Amino acid sequence: MEVVRDIHDGAWAEPSGDPDVTLGAGLFALPGLVDGHAHFGAPIGADWKSDTLENAKHRVNQALSAGVLLALDKGWSDLHTVEIIDTVAPDLRPEIEAAGIINAVKEGYWPKFARELDESNFEEGVQKSLTDARGWIKFVGDWPRRGRGPVANFTEEQLRSAVHAAEAVGSRVAIHTMAREAPSMAVNAGVHSIEHGLFLDESDLERLGSRSGMWVPTILRMEAVVDQIGAESTGGKLLLEGLENVRRLLPLAAEAGVWLLAGTDVTVGAHDVAQEAQRLVDYGLAIDKALDAVSINGYAAVDRPQGFEVGSSADAVLFGANPRDEFGVLTHPEVIIRRGRLVA
């Protein structure tokens, strides 16, 4: 379908008169690529390391230059992404929603990295997280303990109270869960986005989909963790079992009404989110569904315009071939437009 639009004050407008410049004839357009699990504060490929604000800005620019026009940053050990949102002009970066400092419990995440919560400071910590962030709050839902394996960090009631607090101020809750304990509990609590979610099941997808929840499998990241800890280790075997469960569930997610999103985590940068979309295809997701997962699903999931609606931000990524026929074309857009401005 051909859509003809003009640009006025950075927004899409109905065409009027003869255009000064015509872009996109014969090209295929998306409103933008979307990274559903970015960490702009993180050095790419490095766990539990902080980095400079300038390097975070560089990663944001890389994402924009690759056609990523919406990113959901799921927090880090600092507030660099929040500072970027507040100080960098919107036309010079993707649209970004961000959690702030990640929330965990003592011994429930990388040492001295997250905000550590317990019964005495849980409510205060949630409110601090919501104040510091821009639209999201992130919890580490489970984490391995020596000699015990993965353990849930929070109760269902704690997560439910965090969801209520977030919704009261127009924010959303995301949860990291790689093991068996936390996924169903998080879905029951109303958590908006399940990150990794290796051990979700069909009933979880049905409940998550009934309220238009999100699932971000981050396959590249999970495979990298297996490589780090060894496929024959206890943890590696658990994650490989979980990845097979992801392979089984991916085709069911859209049918259940779940917003399935491609997310990079820290294994590759947001500018390489097309690699994660390809991994979704490799795991059995239909190409059109994977294309949705790296584009319009992200917009719909956070209630943003999904196309080229008059009055919406004039954003577009144009490709020389139809991604449904040549999926690899997602890695090299021909033209990128952000708020009506051509991106170099």
Side-chain angles (χ1 to χ4, degrees), residues 15 40 50 79 117 172 190 198 219 299:
F40 288 122
S50 298
L79 296 175
L117 306 180
R172 295 179 171 89
L198 300 185
I219 294 171
Y299 289 93

Side-chain angles (χ1 to χ4, degrees), residues 107-307:
E107 299 182 352
Y109 203 41
W110 299 325
K112 300 179 180 179
F113 189 92
R115 176 181 289 109
E116 294 183 355
L117 306 180
D118 55 33
E119 292 183 0
S120 69
N121 71 346
F122 183 84
E123 184 176 341
E124 177 185 354
V126 167
Q127 291 300 326
K128 175 65 172 170
S129 294
L130 291 170
T131 300
D132 286 347
R134 298 296 178 268
W136 287 86
I137 178 174
K138 168 77 173 293
F139 290 93
V140 178
D142 50 41
W143 197 252
R145 270 58 158 195
R146 186 176 298 276
R148 299 171 62 193
V151 176
N153 285 337
F154 300 100
T155 67
E156 184 174 320
E157 185 53 41
Q158 285 176 319
L159 294 177
R160 185 174 290 110
S161 69
V163 169
H164 290 163
E167 291 180 343
V169 295
S171 291
R172 295 179 171 89
V173 177
I175 190 166
H176 157 114
T177 169
M178 294 166 60
R180 303 182 196 278
E181 287 78 2
S184 294
M185 181 173 64
V187 172
N188 287 340
V191 169
H192 302 88
S193 185
I194 307 297
E195 314 299 310
H196 321 306
L198 300 185
F199 288 95
L200 291 165
D201 60 29
E202 290 92 332
S203 63
D204 294 329
L205 290 183
E206 290 173 3
R207 284 175 290 143
L208 191 62
S210 69
R211 53 182 171 79
S212 300
M214 299 167 238
W215 177 28
V216 197
T218 66
I219 294 171
L220 285 172
R221 177 58 180 156
M222 296 299 95
E223 291 176 330
V225 174
V226 173
D227 289 342
Q228 288 170 358
I229 65 178
E232 295 303 315
S233 68
T234 300
K237 290 177 180 178
L238 179 71
L239 296 186
L240 286 173
E241 181 185 347
L243 281 168
E244 284 306 304
N245 187 53
V246 169
R247 189 187 301 272
R248 182 178 65 87
L249 291 182
L250 281 177
L252 306 179
E255 295 177 14
V258 175
W259 293 121
L260 182 67
L261 307 183
T264 57
D265 208 339
V266 297
T267 299
V268 297
H271 61 284
D272 281 327
V273 70
Q275 290 186 26
E276 176 67 15
Q278 178 62 58
R279 218 63 197 104
L280 293 173
V281 174
D282 297 340
Y283 268 63
L285 189 65
I287 284 179
D288 61 334
K289 300 300 183 184
L291 185 59
D292 290 346
V294 75
S295 56
I296 63 171
N297 281 6
Y299 289 93
V302 295
D303 302 317
R304 294 174 180 269
Q306 303 166 45

